[in-house]
Amino acid sequence: MKYRITALLAAALLVLSLGACNKNQEETPKGANLNFGKGATDIYIYNDLAIQDVMIDDFDTSKYDKDEYLGFLQEEIDAYNQGASFVPQTAAEGEENFTPHYTVPVSIVSSSAENNRLTVQFLYATAADFIKFNENERFYYDEKSGQTLQVGKLAYADASVTGAELIDPDNKDGGTLNIQEILTGKSADRYRYVICNFDAVLYGDGEVAGYTANGQYDAEKDCVTVPAGQTVVVVFKQ
């Protein structure tokens, strides 16, 4: 996203306004892992498979106006949303007091500009929206290996997930997660998977239930770091 930042800052070069340093907290993952959002490669996977991520970068608050910058960014988001396919969320059978988690393919959910650092969090309806909106611009992508972010319900995963050997972080003896037992159990719908191959730190609703050995699990933060260029599979349990 370096290119996008540079281009939009050039358009937003203004004298600092009084509101430039005010926080604008609209939404953060509800009931989420509170460690999310502190790193520039953080990605959050919701139980409904929506994606949230964070952009953190240098932002000279003496030269640039946050709201002006966000206005240009919103224009870019609006242009993407107009051309994107979108299926609105609907209530599940028997669900009452339903409030849609997302209403457009991409939106800004929070922003702040403090201490010459700009932080913006984005919500994406799908992983495909995440990839397409950020195509060739996320500064942590390894363009040589392509960008992969796939999410889904474990019950519908293919062999690349169901056949993977996943470390079970709850097994103190270093055992693996028994996916077949999960899939034939009554709680299979509580599990979802993520496949990622670029530099990222993956958080999600619930807890990490399993991850491939090339991922780096942080027990304290309950997240998995994906090394750039390596494909890591993570399973979350709601």
Side-chain angles (χ1 to χ4, degrees):
M1 196 172 283
K2 290 286 190 182
Y3 172 80
R4 175 177 290 143
I5 292 171
T6 301
L8 294 183
L9 284 181
L13 182 56
L14 297 172
V15 176
L16 177 66
S17 70
L18 292 176
C21 291
N22 291 339
K23 289 186 177 181
N24 177 23
Q25 297 293 341
E26 299 173 15
E27 180 185 343
T28 54
K30 297 177 177 61
N33 186 323
L34 297 180
N35 293 294
F36 167 78
K38 299 178 182 178
T41 61
D42 288 2
I43 294 177
Y44 192 92
I45 300 93
Y46 285 93
N47 191 48
D48 63 5
L49 307 183
I51 302 295
Q52 192 158 322
D53 78 333
V54 60
M55 176 187 74
I56 302 174
D57 215 323
D58 296 334
F59 190 85
D60 189 341
T61 53
S62 68
K63 294 172 58 179
Y64 302 112
D65 179 81
K66 184 199 75 171
D67 294 333
E68 187 78 11
Y69 171 82
L70 293 178
F72 286 108
L73 181 57
Q74 187 61 54
E75 290 179 5
E76 198 170 279
I77 291 172
D78 291 342
Y80 173 85
N81 287 344
Q82 289 174 5
S85 58
F86 178 65
V87 178
Q89 285 184 296
T90 58
E93 184 177 352
E95 186 174 4
E96 298 179 357
N97 301 319
F98 173 75
T99 301
H101 179 201
Y102 51 81
T103 57
V104 290
V106 181
S107 60
I108 296 173
V109 295
S110 70
S111 62
S112 65
E114 294 180 320
N115 301 319
N116 291 324
R117 300 289 284 178
L118 175 70
T119 301
V120 183
Q121 290 193 21
F122 301 83
L123 177 67
Y124 308 85
T126 68
D129 288 312
F130 171 88
I131 291 293
K132 191 172 182 180
F133 181 73
N134 293 297
E135 190 172 11
N136 298 324
E137 292 192 8
R138 293 299 301 213
F139 62 89
Y140 53 83
Y141 277 166
D142 181 353
E143 295 183 5
K144 294 181 181 179
S145 63
Q147 299 96 41
T148 296
L149 184 69
Q150 300 176 30
V151 300
K153 296 292 185 179
L154 185 61
Y156 303 102
D158 61 24
S160 65
V161 176
T162 59
E165 185 172 286
L166 304 177
I167 297 172
D168 182 350
D170 290 333
N171 190 317
K172 304 304 180 184
D173 297 324
T176 58
L177 186 68
N178 191 330
I179 293 183
Q180 296 307 315
E181 182 178 349
I182 292 172
L183 293 177
T184 56
K186 296 181 179 179
S187 301
D189 62 346
R190 297 176 59 190
Y191 292 80
R192 64 201 183 284
Y193 70 88
V194 185
I195 304 175
C196 182
N197 74 340
F198 53 84
D199 182 18
V201 182
L202 303 178
Y203 297 85
D205 284 343
E207 59 187 21
V208 174
Y211 60 96
T212 49
N214 54 339
Q216 301 167 8
Y217 177 64
D218 187 323
E220 182 178 352
K221 296 181 179 179
D222 196 31
C223 62
V224 176
T225 297
V226 180
Q230 296 193 39
T231 299
V232 175
V233 178
V234 181
V235 169
F236 288 93
K237 178 183 179 181
Q238 176 62 26

